[in-house]
């Protein structure tokens, strides 16, 4: 196979999470979003070190597995819900087989209690479906950085989400409010963040905009007037839930992410409540909380089962978010110490513990990699629930040095889990139990829980043997490669950056750079310096990859 060439073949299997595997004349190609049994036409867009990666151009024939008829009208176009055309029982089988292929034997997969309308959080993007077209609000078109698909119906969210979305788009469209163009960094409307509690029905809606309000001056209007009008539209919607708060978030970052440079409460408050396993949790706009509330109860019940007796024990809950796991384990524990980098989530965790009458929890705001160096207590048990990219190697090394007898690792990205398991097994841990909980029906993602223990493997424990030879491990290097940083910057800001610029910012941040890498050959040579907007974008990438 050659780069740029077009081929047609049948997807033989799907590797985690969405990698369709096709063989053309004995040569392997990885084609994202290809389902097992589909016949697809694809173009090879990458070939290096004998690996071919392709992009789907057309599905020539559906897979025999694709028998689900009641599909979302955006299926195949929107960037989510890869498996929606496959019956739920087959989705579960595929996911279980994928994790088995990575980590070995696992217990029977646990399904989500509901597989439709389960998501409690959505981040919608403003844009257009075609260049120069009318205002759109929804999800990015699959494989596109620019095009946005109007999501007037979504199978995995409550109808309240789409009512809020449709009314918001109509309101701003009628007023011809410009959306933020990522390449030119011009415009106003950026995102719509909606969170809805499954148990309480409380809703938090946040409009995310830039600070560019010059367009209002030509219309003799103030931003407050525009936003007040939107709030009135929201309050008059025929929704099943109730608004806990309606917010305005200003975001002037170059990165295409939802973050706050300033939050204003337009109505109500900036938080809402959700309930899990008899406990009550306060959730703010940026607090981490599992996106499937009912599935989270299954997940945390399983974690509690794996942890076992906690009476009188000191437990570290690392990457603790709003303290959900910590509080579930706290009632009979001596102490539970939660560590989380998002200060807003830590504040919520402290309030949640107080509200639930739990005085054995303590939460620390900070980077796990740094905080574990400072903790003086010796834990009896450690629970890890890291972000998708897993635990930073330096943090994992320190965690292993605690030498706890039992450790529970919760992962939403099985390939990151495999990378970390390799180090854990080398240090003397063994996998005692492992299972999957489906928190993300219709998508290619799955949550995996592993119980690790020290000592010899007995008849009840699982022997885990896996090979990393066939896996692309570039994403697991300490930090990120130059191509990964370039790709991240381009995807999130539309800016192209050079190796020279990346190495310059690495030095500014105190990150090690290869000897003489991109240094001028002559002492009097002058090099172009990284522009401020590109420096900011590169720093955002460093933060994403945990490098700073």
């Amino acid at each position: 196979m050659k780069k740029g060439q077009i081929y047609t073949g049948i997807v033989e299997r799907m590797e985690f999470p969405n990698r369709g595997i096709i063989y053309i004349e004995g040569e392997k190609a990885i084609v994202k979003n290809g389902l097992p049994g589909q016949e697809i036409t694809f173009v090879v867009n990458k070939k290096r070190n004998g690996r071919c990666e392709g992009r789907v151009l057309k599905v020539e024939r559906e897979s025999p597995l694709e028998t689900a008829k009641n599909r979302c009208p955006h299926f195949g176009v929107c960037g989510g819900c890869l498996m929606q055309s496959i019956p739920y029982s087959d989705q579960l089988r595929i996911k279980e087989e994928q994790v088995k292929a990575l980590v070995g034997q696992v217990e029977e997969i646990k399904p989500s209690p509901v597989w439709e309308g389960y998501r409690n959080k959505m981040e919608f993007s403003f844009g257009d479906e075609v260049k120069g077209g009318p205002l759109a609000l929804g999800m990015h078109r699959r494989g596109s950085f620019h095009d946005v698909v109007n999501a007037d119906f979504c199978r995995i969210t409550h109808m309240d989400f789409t009512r809020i979305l449709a009314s918001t788009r109509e309101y701003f469209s009628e007023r011809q409010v410009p959306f933020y163009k990522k390449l030119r960094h011009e415009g106003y409307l950026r995102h719509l963040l909606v969170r809805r509690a499954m148990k309480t029905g409380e809703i938090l809606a946040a409009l995310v905009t830039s600070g560019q309000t010059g367009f209002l001056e030509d219309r003799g209007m103030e931003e407050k007037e525009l936003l007040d009008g939107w709030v009135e539209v929201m309050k008059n919607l025929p929704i099943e839930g109730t608004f806990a708060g309606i917010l305005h978030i200003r975001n002037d970052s170059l990165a295409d992410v939802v973050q706050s440079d300033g939050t204003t409460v337009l109505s109500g408050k900036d938080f809402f409540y959700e309930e899990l396993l008899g406990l009550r949790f306060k959730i703010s706009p940026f607090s981490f909380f599992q996106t499937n509330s009912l599935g989270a109860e299954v997940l945390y019940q399983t974690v509690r089962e794996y942890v076992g007796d906690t009476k009188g024990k000191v437990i570290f809950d690392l990457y603790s978010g709003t303290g959900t796991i910590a509080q579930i384990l706290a009632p009979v524990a001596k102490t539970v110490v939660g560590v989380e980098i998002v200060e807003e989530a830590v504040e919520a965790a402290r309030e949640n513990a107080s509200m639930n009458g739990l005085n054995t929890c303590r939460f620390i705001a900070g980077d796990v990699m740094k905080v574990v160096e400072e903790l003086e207590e010796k834990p009896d048990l450690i629970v890890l629930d890291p972000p998708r990219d897993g635990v930073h190697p330096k943090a994992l090394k320190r965690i292993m040095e605690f030498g706890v007898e039992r450790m529970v690792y919760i992962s939403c990205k099985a390939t990151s889990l495999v990378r970390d398991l390799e180090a854990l097994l080398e240090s003397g841990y063994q996998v005692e139990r492992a299972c999957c909980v489906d928190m993300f029906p219709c998508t290619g993602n799955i949550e995996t829980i592993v119980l690790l223990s020290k000592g010899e493997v007995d008849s009840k424990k699982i022997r885990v043997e896996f090979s990393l030879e066939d896996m692309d491990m570039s994403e697991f290097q300490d930090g990120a490669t130059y191509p990964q940083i370039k790709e991240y910057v381009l995807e999130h800001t539309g800016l192209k950056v050079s190796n020279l610029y990346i190495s310059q910012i690495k030095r500014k941040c105190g990150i090690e750079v290869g000897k003489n890498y991109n240094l001028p050959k002559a002492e009097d040579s002058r090099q172009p310096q990284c522009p401020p907007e590109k420096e900011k974008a590169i720093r955002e990438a460093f933060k994403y990859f945990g490098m700073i």
Side-chain angles (χ1 to χ4, degrees):
M1 283 183 281
K2 296 181 179 179
K3 184 178 178 180
Q5 295 294 305
I6 295 174
Y7 301 89
T8 298
I10 296 175
V11 180
E12 294 197 8
R13 67 181 188 278
M14 187 166 69
E15 295 179 350
F16 179 88
N18 61 347
R19 296 146 51 99
I21 306 301
I22 299 176
Y23 288 91
I24 303 292
E25 297 180 354
E27 197 170 1
K28 178 181 175 181
I30 299 169
V31 184
K32 286 186 178 180
N33 303 316
L35 296 175
Q38 280 183 340
E39 183 178 8
I40 62 175
T41 295
F42 65 97
V43 60
V44 175
N45 54 9
K46 237 184 238 185
K47 185 167 185 179
R48 61 184 178 194
N49 301 326
R51 289 171 53 88
C52 288
E53 295 181 21
R55 175 171 54 86
V56 176
L57 297 177
K58 183 182 178 183
V59 176
E60 303 290 350
R61 188 174 65 241
E62 284 196 343
S63 165
L65 295 173
E66 294 182 90
T67 57
K69 302 299 182 186
N70 188 21
R71 304 177 191 180
C72 169
H74 313 299
F75 174 70
V77 180
C78 167
C81 295
L82 172 67
M83 293 188 179
Q84 190 182 123
S85 59
I86 299 175
Y88 189 48
S89 58
D90 287 320
Q91 293 181 32
L92 294 173
R93 177 182 53 79
I94 291 170
K95 292 182 180 185
E96 185 177 307
E97 289 173 355
Q98 287 178 336
V99 176
K100 280 183 179 178
L102 287 170
V103 303
Q105 189 61 38
V106 295
E107 297 168 8
E108 184 177 358
I109 189 171
K110 298 185 179 184
S112 171
V114 293
W115 66 272
E116 290 186 296
Y118 65 85
R119 280 193 68 96
N120 58 35
K121 177 186 177 183
M122 292 293 287
E123 294 178 356
F124 299 112
S125 297
F126 285 96
D128 49 18
E129 292 194 286
V130 294
K131 188 175 181 179
L135 181 68
L137 177 58
M139 307 299 292
H140 280 285
R141 185 180 297 273
R142 181 171 291 169
S144 173
F145 173 62
H146 301 286
D147 300 341
V148 171
V149 178
N150 277 319
D152 287 340
F153 178 77
C154 179
R155 292 288 297 279
I156 64 173
T157 64
H158 191 280
M159 279 303 297
D160 283 352
F161 282 83
T162 49
R163 292 186 183 106
I164 292 169
L165 177 148
S167 298
T168 298
R169 184 186 68 238
E170 181 180 355
Y171 175 80
F172 289 108
S173 181
E174 287 175 353
R175 286 152 184 78
Q176 298 182 322
V177 178
F179 68 87
Y180 184 83
K181 295 178 175 61
K182 293 185 285 290
L183 288 178
R184 290 190 288 178
H185 309 297
E186 294 176 356
Y188 182 70
L189 300 168
R190 299 195 68 163
H191 298 94
L192 176 67
L193 168 65
V194 183
R195 304 189 76 155
R196 185 187 191 278
M198 180 69 75
K199 296 287 186 69
T200 67
E202 290 190 325
I203 299 170
L204 205 62
L207 182 73
V208 184
T209 76
S210 73
Q212 300 176 30
T213 58
F215 71 96
L216 290 170
E217 296 175 7
D218 300 333
R219 305 174 194 183
M221 182 185 292
E222 293 185 356
E223 185 178 34
K224 184 178 184 304
E225 181 184 349
L226 180 70
L227 297 175
D228 285 348
W230 174 64
V231 171
E232 286 306 307
V233 170
M234 293 296 99
K235 287 182 175 179
N236 290 311
L237 284 178
I239 56 176
E240 293 182 19
T242 57
F243 278 108
I246 303 174
L247 316 176
H248 173 226
I249 296 173
R250 184 174 60 80
N251 174 18
D252 286 313
S253 167
L254 293 177
D256 187 30
V257 294
V258 178
Q259 64 180 51
S260 175
D261 291 328
T263 299
T264 303
V265 178
L266 302 177
S267 176
K269 53 199 177 187
D270 62 352
F271 61 89
F272 67 100
Y273 291 104
E274 178 63 297
E275 296 172 357
L276 288 182
L277 299 175
L279 298 174
R280 191 170 172 85
F281 295 93
K282 176 184 176 182
I283 303 170
S284 51
F286 298 103
S287 297
F288 172 77
F289 197 83
Q290 292 287 352
T291 56
N292 180 346
S293 298
L294 298 181
E297 292 193 315
V298 177
L299 178 74
Y300 294 141
Q301 282 173 332
T302 306
V303 170
R304 190 156 58 185
E305 176 192 344
Y306 274 29
V307 165
D309 181 25
T310 61
K311 188 174 182 179
K313 293 184 177 179
V314 175
I315 302 170
F316 284 1
D317 176 15
L318 306 182
Y319 310 96
S320 55
T322 52
T324 318
I325 294 174
Q327 292 171 73
I328 288 169
L329 301 178
V332 295
K334 179 181 178 182
T335 305
V336 182
V337 180
V339 181
E340 168 60 46
I341 197 168
V342 180
E343 291 188 16
E344 181 181 314
V346 172
E347 286 302 316
R350 290 167 179 160
E351 288 187 43
N352 290 335
S354 176
M355 178 172 54
N356 290 313
L358 299 170
N359 55 16
T360 56
C361 293
R362 179 162 61 92
F363 296 98
I364 301 171
D367 187 337
V368 167
M369 183 168 65
K370 297 176 181 177
V371 173
V372 291
E373 292 284 352
E374 302 165 359
L375 289 171
E376 296 181 358
E377 295 118 317
K378 178 175 173 54
D380 300 301
L381 171 78
I382 292 176
V383 177
L384 293 169
D385 189 5
R388 287 185 60 78
D389 289 329
V391 184
H392 192 285
K394 291 179 182 177
L396 188 62
K397 182 175 182 294
R398 174 61 180 129
I399 289 165
M400 291 187 293
E401 288 173 354
F402 282 116
V404 295
E405 290 296 317
R406 292 162 70 81
M407 189 183 301
V408 176
Y409 191 128
I410 305 153
S411 171
C412 60
K413 187 178 180 183
T415 47
S416 298
L417 171 64
V418 168
R419 186 274 316 269
D420 290 345
L421 276 181
E422 183 186 31
L424 287 162
L425 296 185
E426 284 181 358
S427 73
Y429 284 95
Q430 300 290 349
V431 175
E432 189 169 332
R433 298 180 69 180
C435 79
C436 305
V437 177
D438 188 22
M439 299 283 288
F440 318 100
C442 297
T443 76
N445 297 310
I446 186 73
E447 204 88 12
T448 307
I449 309 171
V450 175
L451 171 62
L452 297 126
S453 63
K454 286 273 192 181
E456 295 297 321
V457 178
D458 61 32
S459 60
K460 295 181 181 179
K461 295 180 181 176
I462 303 171
R463 287 193 179 274
V464 177
E465 297 179 1
F466 51 81
S467 171
L468 303 180
E469 291 180 2
D470 294 329
M471 290 178 59
D472 180 5
M473 298 304 292
S474 61
E475 64 178 299
F476 301 129
Q477 296 176 9
D478 187 0
T481 63
Y482 281 74
Q484 285 176 309
I485 294 167
K486 289 180 180 179
E487 184 177 354
Y488 179 90
V489 170
L490 181 62
E491 179 182 347
H492 289 80
T493 69
L495 297 173
K496 291 185 178 180
V497 295
S498 64
N499 288 356
L500 172 64
Y501 288 164
I502 295 171
S503 63
Q504 286 175 356
I505 309 310
K506 272 191 169 184
R507 289 189 180 94
K508 281 189 177 183
C509 295
I511 301 172
E512 185 177 349
V513 180
K515 186 178 180 182
N516 295 328
Y517 192 83
N518 276 327
L519 289 177
K521 294 179 180 178
E523 290 184 7
D524 59 349
S525 295
R526 298 185 67 182
Q527 291 180 308
Q529 295 301 302
C530 183
E533 68 274 11
K534 292 189 176 183
E535 177 174 344
K536 186 175 181 181
I538 292 169
R539 286 177 181 271
E540 294 281 359
F542 289 174
K543 288 178 184 177
Y544 173 79
F545 288 110
M547 298 167 69
I548 59 174

